[in-house]
Amino acid sequence: MTGPTVPMATEPEPAAGWAPTRALGRAVLLAGLLLVAGVLLGRVDLIVLAAPLALGTAYALRRRPTALPQVWVTQGEGGPLVEGGDVTAAVSVGNPDTVDYDLVVVRSRVSPWLRIVRAGFARNEAVQDVSPSTTPATGATAPANGTGRSVADRPFVTSVPTGAVVDLELAGNALRWGRHPVGPAGARVATAGGLLVSRAVITEPVRVRVYPRTEPFEAVEAMPRAAGLVGAHHSRRPGEGGELAGVRRFGPGDRLRRIDWRVSLRARQLHVAATLSDRDAEVVLLLDVLAEAGRSGGVSGAASVLDTTVRATAAIAEHYLHRGDRVSLLEYGPGARRLRPAAGRRQYLTVLEWLLDVRVHPSSHEPYDQVFGPQLLSSDALVVVLTPLLDERSAQMLARLARAGRFVVAVDTLPTDLPSPKDRGWAEVAYRLWRLDRDVMIGQLREHGVPVVRWAGAGSLDLVLRDVARLATAPRVGGR
């Protein structure tokens, strides 16, 4: 986390940002009244009573603070997190002054998608998220199931000696992908026996990166058309590979190890086994961000459209990048963000970072022209469109891609358990009509040659890729 000391201020500032407390006002007022009354009434006992108050106040103010506390937020070690993983952070308060901080009140905001189950200072007993039946009377806890107020949503009190640092350690779980803030955090300090208090020192939040948890995904079917030079997919071009394409006569340039001796003996002429070359392919993952539906419940709860889209994209990208293919990402929305095609482990990490910034951007205009162009989509690329099909423009975009001769696969990301409206009146009837209209639209897309499959993890695209691979052998209609 953080070291035990902080650098001392080179040039102490005057006592700016510090204000007297009500305790100081009461002490000065009471001592003054007793002294005036003792002088006017000639009573020595009143002066004797005022002397300890005056001397105590003067002794407490003999060393005034010259610098405000330092506050910063740090993320725990371990790098980026994955949904459901453990998250740690610390809110540190440093004392660069020459006087001790008698009382320090620290408070920090934490994203609701970071479930903090333990919070406390490193040298003190931490506050844990336990069952209320086992909670001490003085402890501050949250229910064990994560409902209610977070453990970190409360002030924490401590003291900081001169030149020291105290860390408020936070530990919990990451419930959802994204960039979740820890902070802003603030601290107020009381010193000089509680007679002086500082203004609130606020620090900027630190955003914790939480990557989506990739669902298991495997696709054993061949790509529609492999266009690279080398790779793991069976292309339809003859060459060196492991897929048998047939037997033909021996010709110049053929290798001797390819001779099929059984056929050669029967035909009394040399024949060789012809194979298909293995090549890589380009996969374009197109994310429809025009609409959102459902309510996200985190990694262990219900998934919204955006959750399914992001997690499925991460799984598909991981699968094809692991096989050595090139993967690119596109957003179908007003932002029109794009990630250039590349391969390898570095591209996978870039894909995860790119997915953290995916947001729903409703728009009234047609984003097709600015998203798609001949320079963005290769004619041999497999285009996987992840869409909830809630907008007619999404269906029109799929139809345009199919008419342009692209190899398109539509992945339906609409939650299966999407609840129907419970309002009175015609809401439920309208919901059923919308469902029927959406089913008709999906049927029309399939009639136009766009396969639509619901995302279900491993093997979701096998049957679809097999059909698309068969279509790739047929003559293609339309311009590229």
Side-chain angles (χ1 to χ4, degrees):
M1 291 290 184
T2 311
T5 60
V6 294
M8 302 296 293
T10 56
E11 296 182 1
E13 300 178 358
W18 294 86
T21 62
R22 294 183 179 180
L24 177 59
R26 289 192 296 266
V28 173
L29 178 61
L30 184 57
L33 291 177
L34 291 175
L35 288 174
V36 172
V39 172
L40 294 179
L41 299 178
R43 296 182 57 177
V44 181
D45 56 339
L46 296 179
I47 298 177
V48 172
L49 289 176
L53 292 175
L55 293 177
T57 303
Y59 180 80
L61 296 177
R62 75 191 188 281
R63 297 178 62 188
R64 299 184 180 181
T66 58
L68 291 173
Q70 298 177 348
V71 183
W72 63 93
V73 181
T74 56
Q75 182 182 354
E77 300 178 357
L81 307 173
V82 182
E83 287 179 304
D86 297 332
V87 58
T88 57
V91 180
S92 303
V93 181
N95 182 2
D97 213 326
T98 57
V99 297
D100 296 338
Y101 292 158
D102 302 327
L103 184 68
V104 179
V105 180
V106 186
R107 191 164 188 172
S108 175
R109 290 183 179 179
V110 180
S111 170
W113 294 116
L114 299 178
R115 181 174 178 267
I116 302 301
V117 298
R118 183 172 57 86
F121 294 101
R123 63 186 183 187
N124 298 333
E125 183 179 357
V127 179
Q128 296 185 358
D129 185 8
V130 296
S131 175
S133 59
T134 60
T135 302
T138 58
T141 63
N145 57 4
T147 60
R149 195 175 67 171
S150 172
V151 173
D153 189 15
R154 59 175 288 264
F156 294 84
V157 180
T158 185
S159 59
V160 184
T162 301
V165 173
V166 174
D167 295 332
L168 173 61
E169 297 182 350
L170 308 175
N173 308 106
L175 301 181
R176 190 173 184 259
W177 57 272
R179 303 181 191 272
H180 305 303
V182 177
R188 296 193 70 178
V189 174
T191 186
L195 301 180
L196 296 177
V197 64
S198 70
R199 63 173 175 84
V201 179
I202 309 296
T203 185
E204 294 295 327
V206 172
R207 298 193 175 274
V208 179
R209 296 176 297 172
V210 180
Y211 290 156
R213 187 174 65 177
T214 56
E215 302 178 10
F217 174 73
E218 287 291 336
V220 298
E221 290 294 334
M223 296 291 291
R225 178 168 297 180
L229 297 179
V230 294
H233 298 289
H234 304 313
S235 69
R236 288 169 176 78
R237 298 182 180 180
E240 294 295 330
E243 184 73 9
L244 182 64
V247 179
R248 58 176 176 81
R249 292 183 179 181
F250 182 87
D254 289 333
R255 298 187 179 183
L256 296 179
R257 63 186 181 90
R258 292 290 185 182
I259 296 177
D260 191 328
W261 293 106
R262 292 183 179 180
V263 177
S264 300
L265 291 176
R266 289 199 302 266
R268 297 183 180 276
Q269 190 175 4
L270 289 179
H271 284 71
V272 295
T275 58
L276 299 176
S277 62
D278 295 335
R279 304 190 175 205
D280 67 344
E282 180 179 347
V283 181
V284 179
L285 302 179
L286 178 59
L287 284 67
D288 183 1
V289 294
L290 292 179
E292 168 71 312
R295 179 175 296 180
S296 177
V299 65
S300 58
S304 65
V305 167
L306 202 60
D307 290 340
T308 304
T309 300
V310 170
R311 292 166 186 165
T313 302
I316 297 173
E318 181 184 22
H319 169 75
Y320 285 111
L321 288 173
H322 181 71
R323 301 189 62 171
D325 298 321
R326 290 166 286 122
V327 175
S328 63
L329 274 67
L330 285 172
E331 271 190 3
Y332 183 66
R337 293 195 307 140
R338 177 182 180 238
L339 180 64
R340 296 181 178 275
R345 176 68 178 176
R346 183 176 181 180
Q347 177 71 357
Y348 176 61
L349 297 177
T350 306
V351 166
L352 294 180
E353 288 287 340
W354 192 90
L355 290 176
L356 296 183
D357 298 323
V358 174
R359 299 291 183 272
V360 174
H361 301 284
S363 176
S364 58
H365 69 280
E366 173 59 59
Y368 181 89
D369 295 334
Q370 62 177 348
V371 174
F372 304 103
Q375 73 281 1
L376 296 181
L377 292 179
S378 172
S379 60
D380 296 319
L382 171 64
V383 183
V384 180
V385 182
L386 297 102
T387 173
L389 292 174
L390 297 175
D391 197 311
E392 293 183 358
R393 292 171 295 178
S394 302
Q396 295 172 2
M397 174 264 297
L398 290 170
R400 292 182 187 179
L401 287 176
R403 286 196 300 265
R406 311 292 183 182
F407 302 112
V408 186
V409 175
V411 178
D412 187 4
T413 59
L414 188 69
T416 56
D417 55 351
L418 189 66
S420 59
K422 301 299 182 181
D423 299 337
R424 297 180 179 179
W426 297 93
E428 187 173 355
V429 176
Y431 176 77
R432 293 179 180 178
L433 291 176
W434 170 79
R435 277 286 190 180
L436 292 175
D437 183 70
R438 184 174 181 273
D439 293 340
V440 171
M441 180 175 59
I442 293 176
Q444 291 176 349
L445 286 175
R446 289 170 176 167
E447 291 178 357
H448 283 77
V450 180
V452 181
V453 59
R454 185 175 297 277
W455 174 254
S460 297
L461 306 183
D462 272 346
L463 296 178
V464 176
L465 289 179
R466 182 189 61 189
D467 296 339
V468 174
R470 290 176 179 176
L471 290 175
T473 60
R476 303 176 63 181
V477 180
R480 295 185 180 180

